[in-house]
Amino acid sequence: FGSLSSKTVLSLDSEAVFSLKDGINFKKSPDDGKCYIIYKENGELKACKNQCKHQGGLFIKDIEDLDGRTVQCTKHYWKLNVSTMQYVNPPDSFTQDELDVVMTDEGGLQLVEVIVWDPWLADPQDPQELQEGEVTVTYLTHACMELQLGGKKMIFDPWLTGPAFARGWWLLHEPPADSMERLCMADLIYISHMHSDHLSYPTLKSLSATRPDVPIYVGDTSRPVFWMLEKRQVQLTNINVVPFGIWQNIDEHLRFMILKDEVHPVLDTCIIVEYKGHMILNTVDCTRPNYGRLPHNVDLMMSDFAGGASGFPMTFSGGKYTESWKADFIKNERKKLMNYKAQLVKSLQPKIYCPFAGYFVEAHPSDRYIKETNTKNKAEELNALIKKSAPGITTWTPKPGAVLDLALALMSPSRKAITDPPSGTNIYKDSWDFDLYVDELNRAITAEIFKHKSWIQFYYIWAGFKNYNLVVRVIETDEDFIPIDNGYNYLVDFMDLSFPTQRPTREHPYEEIKNRIGVMRHVVKNGLLWDDLYIGFQNRLSREPDVYHHRFWNHFQTELPVTGPDWDLFLQQVPSYQRSAEPQGIQTESGSASTLS
């Protein structure tokens, strides 16, 4: 694993090289139709694939760019400065992978792609014949699958109870009644990433009470998947962090390999499971898994499909964010995602494909607007699109408790390989214990720390984000996002991490974030990531200008300190904070917050 090979993806003769103009040149390979960008400046050449890192969209010339250095993605309007290979929208975000430009003796050129050897090819196994019932896949709910692999049972991403993202997501499908028993009987569990629709602490708390030593496997992401385990007081004693791209052998016939996502390497992973040479690929939520290189012709592929896993644009207001604009945007985005997933499945040619990891609903009555606005793709429609473009691929739209027998599916598509749940089974949830979980969040409202205004300074110093020209106003609100009379309403200037009473006079971007008070205080008190607010639809946002500040949101969604704020220390320091009329926070060498009097 790790050895390299190279491939010439485009060749130009001397005449074509001579005709390259200064600035951006779009080229297409006559061999396979793939597109490339060549940038020329002062006789020097740079090149890359004409493919956006986000979701593989095609770049075109950016009509707003007067310098002739920027291209714009046709999918989500991301912008790439080809002269630097840096994405400029969103700013401070990603770097485009360059191709090597090799000049030939005849004055032509070749664009060469360096390829990392596919790790799943290490120690290849020839497929063996499977017996009926030997390998079965049972859909439980959302992203949770149970795999029977010979004598072993493996479960993916168990979210069986409670909400995800604070109180914003709730299970759409009713898990089978024995799902928790199945989980407790598992031989191994794979958890793809730390988002709470995959890493469900309410579920794991129930698991730990019965089976604390069950083997759980996660990828070696830079932010540990279980970074909140101690804080959540869940006793799991057999968590295994494994390196990417290495086969993990479970028994003579069963092994698996975890791979990471290129777009969100801090966060997302995917998995290949192999039993007797038969591969199951689960890309989960990855945007560009394993740098776009995945095994072809696997026996079963699963992936997300639905969309809607973001507050954008439903939670935004002002400017262009009218209801009609939102509706058009969401409709177009879902269509783009549907086409992207269909094209990905067609290119990989699995024998069987199953869309999953998109079965959630904004069920709480206070989120009715989100539920009505945030339309999602339907699994049946994606499978129909796949069947139209790739009729040789068998598709499966799962229902809770449905079982796929892999041996039967591979023998003959005409055989009954899928067993649906018994008639009369309750497919959709109709109750969610809202009060139990919402009351738990709201208990943070009366926490002692919030009786002292200086918690604001202490918290943002702990968060550690600064030296960035952005001013944010944060407002605590009720359920309907109406500011609360006695709630906090404050400014944070992230240029110098100050807390002014008015916006500064210098030119600066500005965001206003209204947060439901219970969720915001729960997040602050426990040092949680802001995904609970943003992905969980628990805030409303407006911004001037309308620019996505990647560095800010990436920090608060993935890079907050792993150790939470020391509120005991804060309460000890409260008297010194209060002696300062306008306290200004500084960071001491020890890392604790102090004030200037």
Side-chain angles (χ1 to χ4, degrees):
F1 174 58
S3 59
L4 303 175
S5 62
S6 61
K7 173 185 177 183
T8 299
V9 295
L10 180 70
S11 297
L12 298 181
D13 59 23
S14 57
E15 184 178 347
V17 172
F18 181 76
S19 67
L20 290 173
K21 67 181 188 297
D22 285 342
I24 296 167
N25 299 265
F26 294 97
K27 296 293 180 181
K28 179 185 285 191
S29 168
D31 299 324
D32 58 13
K34 292 184 177 178
C35 299
Y36 303 90
I37 301 173
I38 300 174
Y39 180 78
K40 181 179 180 181
E41 185 175 23
N42 298 326
E44 299 291 324
L45 299 175
K46 287 186 172 186
C48 65
K49 290 182 178 180
N50 188 347
Q51 185 179 57
C52 181
K53 252 192 173 178
H54 183 217
Q55 283 190 357
L58 198 69
F59 288 113
I60 60 173
K61 184 172 176 56
D62 178 13
I63 59 174
E64 297 177 350
D65 173 37
L66 302 180
D67 297 327
R69 297 176 178 175
T70 306
V71 292
Q72 184 177 57
C73 178
T74 52
K75 271 194 173 182
H76 300 101
Y77 315 113
W78 284 32
K79 293 187 179 184
L80 171 68
N81 184 328
V82 190
S83 70
T84 62
M85 294 296 173
Q86 298 290 322
Y87 283 82
V88 293
N89 183 24
D92 305 300
S93 54
F94 300 101
T95 301
Q96 187 80 341
D97 297 323
E98 288 191 55
L99 300 171
D100 290 338
V101 180
V102 179
M103 304 304 297
T104 66
D105 294 338
E106 296 79 22
L109 68 74
Q110 295 178 335
L111 300 187
V112 178
E113 180 183 10
V114 177
I115 300 171
V116 179
W117 178 53
D118 299 331
W120 53 87
L121 298 179
D123 186 25
Q125 305 288 317
D126 291 329
Q128 301 177 39
E129 184 177 347
L130 298 176
Q131 301 302 310
E132 182 177 343
E134 188 174 4
V135 176
T136 61
V137 180
T138 304
Y139 170 70
L140 300 182
T141 189
H142 190 57
C144 185
M145 289 277 193
E146 179 192 56
L147 282 63
Q148 178 75 50
L149 303 151
K152 300 290 189 204
K153 286 189 177 182
M154 183 177 192
I155 287 187
F156 294 155
D157 287 334
W159 172 29
L160 302 175
T161 188
F165 300 108
R167 43 176 281 195
W169 293 29
W170 305 82
L171 286 168
L172 176 68
H173 286 157
E174 183 71 60
D178 64 347
S179 293
M180 192 60 70
E181 295 173 36
R182 292 170 182 254
L183 181 62
C184 293
M185 294 295 291
D187 294 291
L188 63 158
I189 296 169
Y190 162 67
I191 294 181
S192 60
H193 62 292
M194 62 185 174
H195 278 165
S196 50
D197 59 320
H198 300 263
L199 175 62
S200 166
Y201 278 107
T203 303
L204 295 180
K205 191 170 184 178
S206 296
L207 170 65
S208 67
T210 303
R211 184 93 187 281
D213 61 344
V214 61
I216 298 176
Y217 292 88
V218 297
D220 189 14
T221 48
S222 56
R223 188 180 191 95
V225 173
F226 277 96
W227 68 280
M228 281 294 294
L229 184 66
E230 185 176 340
K231 186 84 173 178
R232 295 284 190 169
Q233 297 181 324
V234 174
Q235 302 297 318
L236 294 170
T237 60
N238 197 356
I239 295 171
N240 303 271
V241 181
V242 301
F244 293 115
I246 303 292
W247 283 119
Q248 307 296 317
N249 296 299
I250 301 302
D251 62 23
E252 179 186 1
H253 300 300
L254 174 61
R255 61 184 182 173
F256 69 87
M257 175 184 293
I258 298 178
L259 303 170
K260 68 179 174 181
D261 184 44
E262 179 185 10
V263 175
H264 301 113
V266 175
L267 183 70
D268 284 331
T269 73
C270 62
I271 191 170
I272 302 169
V273 177
E274 186 180 72
Y275 176 80
K276 288 188 175 181
H278 295 273
M279 282 191 182
I280 296 172
L281 170 65
N282 175 10
T283 64
V284 205
D285 288 355
C286 287
T287 302
R288 188 169 163 78
N290 196 47
Y291 303 89
R293 297 189 62 81
L294 292 169
H296 290 61
N297 307 119
V298 299
D299 294 274
L300 171 63
M301 175 183 173
M302 315 173 202
S303 79
D304 67 339
F305 70 97
S310 165
F312 187 85
M314 295 81 64
T315 59
F316 284 68
S317 63
K320 69 185 180 187
Y321 296 107
T322 62
E323 294 308 309
S324 60
W325 186 93
K326 290 180 186 180
D328 289 343
F329 179 88
I330 291 168
K331 181 180 178 181
N332 290 333
E333 285 300 295
R334 301 299 176 263
K335 184 177 180 180
K336 290 175 186 176
L337 178 62
M338 181 101 74
N339 291 332
Y340 171 68
K341 292 295 179 181
Q343 183 58 42
L344 177 64
V345 173
K346 181 181 178 182
S347 69
L348 294 178
Q349 286 291 308
K351 297 179 179 68
I352 307 160
Y353 172 71
C354 174
F356 81 147
Y359 301 108
F360 70 94
V361 61
E362 305 86 346
H364 195 278
S366 65
D367 289 324
R368 180 177 298 172
Y369 166 76
I370 298 294
K371 181 181 178 182
E372 293 173 350
T373 309
N374 190 24
T375 56
K376 304 173 188 69
N377 288 330
K378 291 181 170 58
E380 297 86 350
E381 293 178 2
L382 173 57
N383 282 342
L385 186 61
I386 291 169
K387 292 298 289 182
K388 185 176 180 180
S389 63
I393 298 173
T394 300
T395 59
W396 175 28
T397 302
K399 298 175 182 177
V403 182
L404 169 74
D405 187 310
L406 192 59
L408 294 180
L410 296 178
M411 285 178 193
S412 170
S414 62
R415 294 196 62 178
K416 181 67 174 175
I418 297 170
T419 304
D420 283 326
S423 60
T425 299
N426 189 15
I427 301 298
Y428 297 101
K429 285 188 73 71
D430 54 16
S431 63
W432 290 271
D433 290 329
F434 293 135
D435 291 346
L436 174 66
Y437 297 100
V438 173
D439 288 349
E440 180 183 349
L441 294 169
N442 287 342
R443 279 198 285 272
I445 295 174
T446 57
E448 177 70 21
I449 57 174
F450 298 112
K451 296 177 182 177
H452 312 282
K453 185 177 181 180
S454 47
W455 73 261
I456 297 168
Q457 175 190 355
F458 190 92
Y459 173 75
Y460 287 99
I461 289 173
W462 164 82
F465 183 73
K466 56 184 177 179
N467 300 322
Y468 186 78
N469 187 24
L470 175 66
V471 177
V472 174
R473 178 175 292 280
V474 182
I475 304 171
E476 293 184 330
T477 75
D478 63 12
E479 291 285 280
D480 299 317
F481 299 100
I482 305 301
I484 295 174
D485 289 340
N486 58 349
Y488 285 103
N489 181 332
Y490 57 88
L491 289 167
V492 186
D493 186 343
F494 287 103
M495 178 65 84
D496 58 1
L497 200 53
S498 61
F499 307 90
T501 55
Q502 295 181 330
R503 288 174 59 177
T505 55
R506 73 170 193 278
E507 187 173 330
H508 61 274
Y510 173 75
E511 291 205 20
E512 182 177 281
I513 307 175
K514 296 178 178 179
N515 298 307
R516 284 180 174 150
I517 185 172
V519 180
M520 182 59 182
R521 292 195 180 185
H522 176 78
V523 166
V524 167
K525 179 175 178 287
N526 294 289
L528 303 179
L529 299 171
W530 284 22
D531 282 339
D532 281 352
L533 294 161
Y534 184 67
I535 301 180
F537 317 115
Q538 299 302 300
N539 57 19
R540 296 294 183 266
L541 303 100
S542 60
R543 56 195 186 190
E544 307 168 11
D546 184 23
V547 173
Y548 173 57
H549 291 278
H550 171 81
R551 274 184 58 191
F552 169 76
W553 283 106
N554 187 61
H555 184 91
F556 281 91
Q557 288 184 278
T558 67
E559 296 181 355
L560 289 176
V562 172
T563 303
D566 188 343
W567 293 118
D568 290 336
L569 174 65
F570 166 74
L571 292 173
Q572 293 170 21
Q573 293 183 341
V574 162
S576 64
Y577 273 90
Q578 291 176 333
R579 282 197 297 268
S580 174
E582 290 291 337
Q584 295 296 315
I586 62 171
Q587 195 78 11
T588 65
E589 290 184 3
S590 66
S592 62
S594 67
T595 57
L596 293 174
S597 298

